[in-house]
Amino acid sequence: LQQGWEQTFPRDGAHSIGIDGNPVTGIDFGNKFIPTGAIDGTKWSDENGDGKQSNNETGLAGWTIYLDQNGNGQPDAGEPSTVTGQNGSYQFINLPDGNYIVREVLQQGWEQTFPRDGSHSISIDRNPDPRVDFGSRSLPTGALYGTKWRDENGDGKQNNNEAGLRGWTIYLDQNGNGQPDAGEPSTVTGQNGSYQFTNLPDGNYIVREVLQQGWEQTFPRDGSHSISIDGNPVTGVDFGNKFIPTGAIFGTKWRDENGDGKQNNNEAGLRGWTIYLDQNGNGQPDA
């Protein structure tokens, strides 16, 4: 790839070709020139929800992309914005050097699949920063969607380097007893950790996972999601887990705002506290 250019085809950067004595044609490459001081990207329909644009997934026109200059997560008056074109492409040009947060305005009935944290943080230094893309998938009504992921650092948030976990059972705990019972709806997470329940009647639901041996749930902290369905899709019903090796002790030190002895979702961890093994049981750390 040459400086100042973005590869547009193939999307994944390469062709994997098998030669069996016959000629192979159509091994093409497409590139778009990106001017300096610019941000360029595509908004696409992520049909399978994997956060990657496959060759059969097309761009989405008419979506607003904006530069979130004050970092408040919403488009404000005076902040630069643009609307994606017919093939889902957009562009900001003639940008001064500096740091930018690029976001999209999510439309109703859609879930953002890329980037996972909702925005791109871009540094402009007169060189183009290509492929600032946004992926979303359309969701039917009366449904809930989520992802099961491996929480490597145990912070309860899915970072871009933390992959989904396949083969985990997610269920609707209809009687609220904290375990999957016969007849309760359940599903198994797919290749990228995603799952879904569709065609759900309006009502309230408790969503849980079946915890596997050797793993600790890091999100949600209280073990389940309480969801209300009112005909619209509900997204972000996610579960995070950290793998715990054998012969180990793991834990969290948190600020208990309400003093109830339970870590609620709004109660953050506390860094810099010393934890020790009191081998002689005297209640103080000894040499």
Side-chain angles (χ1 to χ4, degrees), residues 12-250:
D12 58 5
H15 294 278
S16 296
I17 303 301
I19 297 291
D20 60 359
N22 296 312
V24 179
T25 62
I27 316 303
D28 302 332
F29 291 85
N31 290 73
K32 178 180 178 181
F33 180 71
I34 310 298
T36 57
I39 297 173
D40 192 89
T42 299
K43 170 66 186 180
W44 88 91
S45 179
D46 190 5
E47 303 290 345
N48 60 6
D50 67 351
K52 301 175 183 178
Q53 186 176 10
S54 306
N55 288 334
N56 66 331
E57 293 177 335
T58 58
L60 290 169
W63 285 65
T64 298
I65 311 295
Y66 67 100
L67 304 183
D68 188 7
Q69 293 176 317
N70 59 11
N72 69 348
Q74 60 187 24
D76 300 304
E79 289 183 332
S81 67
T82 188
V83 176
T84 59
Q86 189 62 38
N87 63 348
S89 64
Y90 76 91
Q91 188 178 77
F92 294 94
I93 60 174
N94 301 319
L95 296 175
D97 289 357
N99 299 316
Y100 296 86
I101 299 174
V102 191
R103 297 184 186 272
E104 68 173 353
V105 177
L106 194 62
Q107 297 185 15
Q108 187 172 11
W110 292 79
E111 173 194 19
Q112 187 181 75
T113 60
F114 182 81
R116 281 288 179 190
D117 58 4
S119 66
H120 294 278
S121 295
I122 302 299
S123 179
I124 295 291
D125 58 1
R126 307 312 300 167
N127 292 313
D129 201 319
R131 299 302 304 276
V132 187
D133 298 338
F134 293 87
S136 298
R137 67 174 170 177
S138 177
L139 306 180
T141 58
L144 63 88
Y145 292 79
T147 299
K148 169 68 185 178
W149 88 92
R150 179 167 181 158
D151 192 2
E152 300 287 355
N153 59 5
D155 67 350
K157 301 175 182 178
Q158 185 177 13
N159 303 308
N160 286 335
N161 65 331
E162 293 177 334
L165 289 169
R166 68 176 299 180
W168 286 64
T169 298
I170 311 295
Y171 68 100
L172 304 182
D173 188 7
Q174 294 177 316
N175 60 9
N177 69 349
Q179 59 187 27
D181 299 304
E184 289 183 332
S186 67
T187 187
V188 176
T189 59
Q191 185 66 36
N192 62 348
S194 65
Y195 76 92
Q196 62 181 327
F197 292 93
T198 59
N199 301 317
L200 295 175
D202 290 356
N204 299 317
Y205 296 86
I206 298 173
V207 191
R208 298 183 186 271
E209 68 173 355
V210 176
L211 193 64
Q212 296 185 17
Q213 188 172 10
W215 294 81
E216 170 195 13
Q217 188 180 80
T218 60
F219 182 82
R221 283 290 181 188
D222 58 3
S224 66
H225 294 277
S226 294
I227 303 298
S228 178
I229 295 289
D230 59 0
N232 295 313
V234 177
T235 63
V237 190
D238 301 334
F239 293 87
N241 291 74
K242 179 179 179 180
F243 181 71
I244 309 298
T246 58
I249 298 172
F250 289 80

